[in-house]
Amino acid sequence: EEPEAARRELEAGIAQARTRSPLLAAQLLDQKAQVEQELGQRAQALSDWQEALRLAGETPLPGLVAHLHLAAGSALHEASQGQRG
């Protein structure tokens, strides 16, 4: 219940931030993706990390972009491991 409630709150924040502050929306998408990973929603988490990367664009926060690439890459790796087994 708590992770689902957190996900809904993050979705509301993302909707508000998307046009006003794409960088904030990217950070919120990262948080939402982490919650989705906990819920076992790996495909949605990966989609959110990819969208976060798109929104982050040429951000002056290279650490954020590196984190998003790592998270998305890790999700892809986990997904590929599941397909092999």
Side-chain angles (χ1 to χ4, degrees), residues 17-73:
R18 192 176 292 276
T19 57
R20 294 182 182 115
S21 176
L23 187 54
L24 176 58
Q27 293 170 315
L28 293 173
L29 276 162
D30 174 46
Q31 294 297 312
K32 180 175 171 263
Q34 291 178 44
V35 170
E36 289 164 342
Q37 280 280 88
E38 291 176 25
L39 294 170
Q41 299 171 350
R42 290 187 178 97
Q44 184 59 49
L46 175 59
S47 175
D48 285 344
W49 277 314
Q50 291 170 332
E51 175 68 6
L53 279 164
R54 188 189 69 73
L55 288 171
E58 297 295 320
T59 179
L61 301 174
L64 172 63
V65 174
H67 166 77
L68 294 172
H69 276 291
L70 177 62

